Amino acid sequence: MIVSHLTIRLVDFSESETEYFSAILSLAEARLQQTWSIVTTENADFFVLTEKHLKESLLPGIPVTRCFFYDSGSTADNNHILVDHTKIPRLRSLVEVLNKAVGSQPPETAETAETAETAETAETAETAETAETAEVGHIDKVPEDVNEISDVPPSQQAAYIRIEASPPATSEEEAIGPAVFSPEHGLLKAVLDCKSVPVLIRVNDVGVYLDPVKGSYYCPLTLEQLIPCFDRDPIRIKPITQPELRQVVSNTKLSPKPLSNLIWYAAFKASQGRLLLGTSPEDVVHLIRWPDLGLPGCGNYVKLAAFMHSNTIKLSDIPSATQYPVEAVYDFYNACHLVGLIEKAAAIELHEKQIDLEHQNLLRKIRNRLKF
Amino acid sequence: MTGFIQTKIVFTGCVGAGKTTAITTISEKTPVSTEVKPSEASVIKRKATTTVAMDYGELTLEGGGVLYLYGTPGQRRFDFMTDILTKGALGLIVLIDNTHENPLDEMDYYLNLNYRFLLKSPAVIGITHYDETMQPSVDDYYSALAERGDPWPVIHVDARSLEDVRLLLNTLLAILEYG
Ligand SMILES: Nc1nc2c(ncn2[C@@H]2O[C@H](COP(=O)(O)OP(=O)(O)OP(=O)(O)O)[C@@H](O)[C@H]2O)c(=O)[nH]1
Ligand SMILES: [Mg+2]
């Protein structure tokens, strides 16, 4: 798999346009042969400009060959990202354009089209007015098929988006397990996909409310209690309005918890030693900020965090440099990546500490003492 | 960093953040604390007793060495103790009470106060009383640190929890090794 990293600068985008764009792009990423990040720096691999720049002259310093334009009409030109009438870029066109831009063949598969479909359906459903407020963490069995829900009237069933289980594993995957971690299941996928409006997510018996705008979630269960939901399908997602969410919160007296903690922990647990799709062991990476070290299990990773925070290094070199097993490095990396704490870099930058033996011994002794 | 033979870690931070509590939580001997009734008006409002001079605790290391734990007094008029206590320390744990009126300013204040020490030694920021209020959030602290250009980790902790105090110290050790 070709993996490279693209930076994209959104020129003159409003906050909500940026949000929409990021949401679609993160869905697209699974189908791209690149990973990407939206940057605010002067320079970037690609620039996405709003329509008005088509008419006006380009901004100085932005090379036209690396520009895409938002175009609200249908477009025949591959240099345009297709947008629908609400100016939301459609997934398929984005995948084609970006893959083409880096000189590789667009993976025009049925799957791509399916994903595009899902994204578009999701958008439609997110704006659906009908939303029923349910109790947080409500324990009622979610039926295997949404269409079989007996207690939800058909008019309201439409408000749910059902995420199906992914295709069954191939025989090779069954033998050795899938080589890459693709967050395509359960609560983790739902949380990653939810980028604009509050939703109620149901996995089996568990209900979780998300407020992506405030970056919070509401659930009476602890992160550890949610583990079985992280990569279990089927899940049901139902968009709700902010007033509905406020109502639920005031009825249940639940306090908001950081959404990034849910994503971090879910990815950390669901990775199971596999590297995130779109990342190569050869990628040079840097931890730009510390994760919440108070998260369950994260306390065992302080040395790894400190190392990745002060060095920019190939992923494949981290296990030997830190003595953490490669699987642990991948679990930690994936979790940090999915909450935006990882930056990929072009060059390795090592800040090796010159610690004499005496000092090393001292640190070891203190660490040992802290164990009991 | 120089002077590795010194084994001392200092807890600093605002009044009521839990410096005395943290040292009491982890110290293996009954810690020495210099608690008196507070004199500063702002402190009287918050607590019945406050540390003057310092807190002091110990952890015995294998081979007979000792890790000394010092806590600075929170009242501003004892700020001069900070320089004395941090001399030769391995690093600093800065505890900030999240229920304080301006906790972000408090963090700023203690990082500035220890500016010279932190040029060569690391710090870990521990946010206490997070169970009482999550505002400002850990993210807000990181934003404030980013504005200062400081790389220190921020951890929400409860100074009464042994696990949490251990996490603060282990994180400081990790930066000493790799940071
Ligand atoms: N609820 C809550 N209480 C805490 C937490 N951490 C510490 N405390 C309590 O807060 C108080 C802190 O007091 P001290 O440990 O004396 O604070 P200090 O930093 O030494 O204060 P000064 O010496 O006056 O500067 C104690 O009553 C602790 O039990 C926390 O995370 N949550
Ligand atoms: Mg005290």
Side-chain angles (χ1 to χ4, degrees):
Chain A
M1 184 167 70
I2 312 158
V3 180
S4 60
H5 186 73
L6 296 174
T7 53
I8 299 170
R9 186 176 140 206
L10 305 178
V11 181
D12 280 352
F13 273 51
S14 70
E15 210 172 300
S16 63
E17 281 173 327
T18 306
E19 241 168 47
Y20 274 131
F21 192 91
S22 313
I24 301 298
L25 207 47
S26 52
L27 280 171
E29 195 175 31
R31 303 285 160 239
L32 281 170
Q33 287 141 14
Q34 297 78 36
T35 57
W36 56 274
S37 59
I38 290 177
V39 294
T40 50
T41 48
E42 283 275 294
N43 208 358
D45 296 318
F46 296 102
F47 300 83
V48 185
L49 295 92
T50 50
E51 241 175 329
K52 72 171 191 186
H53 293 288
L54 275 172
K55 296 170 198 118
E56 295 166 10
S57 57
L58 276 182
L59 300 173
I62 296 189
V64 71
T65 49
R66 290 197 269 138
C67 287
F68 300 125
F69 297 94
Y70 250 143
D71 181 4
S72 51
S74 74
T75 165
D77 187 338
N78 265 334
N79 265 352
H80 290 194
I81 288 174
L82 292 177
V83 293
D84 65 16
H85 62 284
T86 56
K87 291 213 173 182
I88 297 166
R90 281 166 53 193
L91 185 59
R92 195 177 343 171
S93 64
L94 199 59
V95 173
E96 282 170 14
V97 172
L98 289 179
N99 276 335
K100 192 179 163 83
V102 292
S104 53
Q105 279 304 312
E108 182 49 64
T109 60
E111 254 183 305
T112 316
E114 261 169 38
T115 319
E117 203 84 304
T118 313
E120 280 155 24
T121 320
E123 288 299 342
T124 323
E126 271 174 16
T127 51
E129 299 268 288
T130 47
E132 144 217 67
T133 337
E135 254 174 70
V136 182
H138 185 78
I139 311 293
D140 70 2
K141 265 259 173 273
V142 176
E144 273 304 294
D145 191 312
V146 170
N147 293 331
E148 289 167 13
I149 302 172
S150 53
D151 56 341
V152 180
S155 63
Q156 291 188 3
Q157 286 175 16
Y160 282 96
I161 303 155
R162 181 178 162 89
I163 308 290
E164 299 290 345
S166 289
T170 62
S171 56
E172 191 190 344
E173 276 177 351
E174 269 161 12
I176 55 165
V180 291
F181 169 54
S182 170
E184 298 269 321
H185 299 273
L187 185 57
L188 177 58
K189 177 181 168 38
V191 172
L192 289 173
D193 286 353
C194 165
K195 300 249 162 113
S196 48
V197 294
V199 292
L200 163 62
I201 300 174
R202 295 259 182 132
V203 193
N204 293 344
D205 299 339
V206 180
V208 182
Y209 282 90
L210 299 191
D211 184 346
V213 177
K214 294 210 178 93
S216 319
Y217 77 98
Y218 301 83
C219 181
L221 304 185
T222 64
L223 285 172
E224 283 116 318
Q225 287 172 322
L226 283 172
I227 290 175
C229 309
F230 289 155
D231 56 0
R232 182 183 297 168
D233 291 319
I235 49 170
R236 293 189 304 155
I237 304 172
K238 191 169 65 170
I240 57 170
T241 62
Q242 281 289 355
E244 282 169 335
L245 178 62
R246 275 197 296 275
Q247 185 68 49
V248 172
V249 171
S250 95
N251 289 348
T252 54
K253 307 254 178 323
L254 283 171
S255 44
K257 303 177 197 175
L259 194 51
S260 56
N261 283 4
L262 176 58
I263 297 174
W264 192 95
Y265 192 64
F268 178 69
K269 282 291 174 190
S271 293
Q272 309 208 342
R274 298 163 299 168
L275 184 56
L276 188 65
L277 181 74
T279 301
S280 150
E282 297 307 296
D283 284 352
V284 177
V285 300
H286 174 65
L287 182 67
I288 50 177
R289 216 189 77 180
W290 296 77
D292 185 338
L293 297 171
L295 282 165
C298 194
N300 297 325
Y301 288 75
V302 283
K303 276 172 78 172
L304 181 60
F307 180 80
M308 290 178 66
H309 191 249
S310 53
N311 294 286
T312 304
I313 187 172
K314 255 196 219 167
L315 255 174
S316 56
D317 289 339
I318 296 175
S320 58
T322 58
Q323 314 301 320
Y324 278 86
V326 65
E327 293 81 6
V329 171
Y330 286 172
D331 290 345
F332 182 80
Y333 168 85
N334 296 344
C336 291
H337 179 95
L338 288 177
V339 294
L341 300 182
I342 297 284
E343 195 171 69
K344 292 191 185 177
I348 292 171
E349 240 183 87
L350 295 180
H351 299 277
E352 275 176 83
K353 275 206 126 172
Q354 301 301 324
I355 306 180
D356 61 35
L357 204 61
E358 197 181 355
H359 191 213
Q360 265 176 27
N361 268 334
L362 173 62
L363 296 181
R364 185 184 49 77
K365 282 179 184 173
I366 300 176
R367 199 171 277 124
N368 285 344
R369 174 61 188 82
L370 289 174
K371 281 186 190 147
F372 56 88
Chain B
M1 207 183 302
T2 56
F4 290 145
I5 21 159
Q6 285 106 340
T7 50
K8 146 167 114 169
I9 290 174
V10 176
F11 288 72
T12 193
C14 56
V15 166
K19 302 174 290 293
T20 303
T21 308
I23 291 173
T24 310
T25 301
I26 193 127
S27 178
E28 65 199 29
K29 297 201 177 133
T30 311
V32 178
S33 195
T34 50
E35 297 289 295
V36 298
K37 283 190 178 151
S39 53
E40 286 179 16
S42 61
V43 181
I44 294 167
K45 269 198 293 188
R46 303 179 71 85
K47 319 177 65 210
T49 68
T50 186
T51 305
V52 291
M54 64 172 137
D55 302 303
Y56 170 82
E58 281 183 18
L59 287 179
T60 311
L61 306 178
E62 65 191 70
V66 181
L67 169 69
Y68 302 109
L69 304 168
Y70 287 96
T72 66
Q75 289 188 94
R76 295 267 157 105
R77 65 201 182 88
F78 294 112
D79 279 354
F80 68 90
M81 283 301 297
T82 296
D83 268 351
I84 298 169
L85 293 178
T86 53
K87 198 167 238 146
L90 286 172
L92 198 61
I93 307 279
V94 182
L95 295 183
I96 304 295
D97 174 355
N98 217 34
T99 64
H100 196 283
E101 249 169 59
N102 297 304
L104 293 172
D105 292 351
E106 289 295 305
M107 177 177 73
D108 220 34
Y109 179 84
Y110 285 98
L111 291 177
N112 289 342
L113 189 64
N114 292 282
Y115 171 74
R116 289 163 70 80
F117 176 74
L118 294 175
L119 287 176
K120 290 188 175 161
S121 308
V124 171
I125 317 290
I127 311 302
T128 58
H129 299 263
Y130 207 70
D131 52 317
E132 292 170 54
T133 172
M134 292 204 280
Q135 286 305 322
S137 66
V138 168
D139 276 357
D140 296 327
Y141 282 92
Y142 273 117
S143 303
L145 284 170
E147 258 174 51
R148 298 176 51 92
D150 281 336
W152 315 128
V154 180
I155 314 174
H156 54 90
V157 291
D158 188 324
R160 300 165 297 183
S161 149
L162 179 60
E163 266 320 296
D164 286 6
V165 181
R166 275 184 185 150
L167 179 61
L168 286 170
L169 292 170
N170 268 322
T171 305
L172 190 69
L173 297 178
I175 310 178
L176 283 162
E177 194 163 348
Y178 287 127

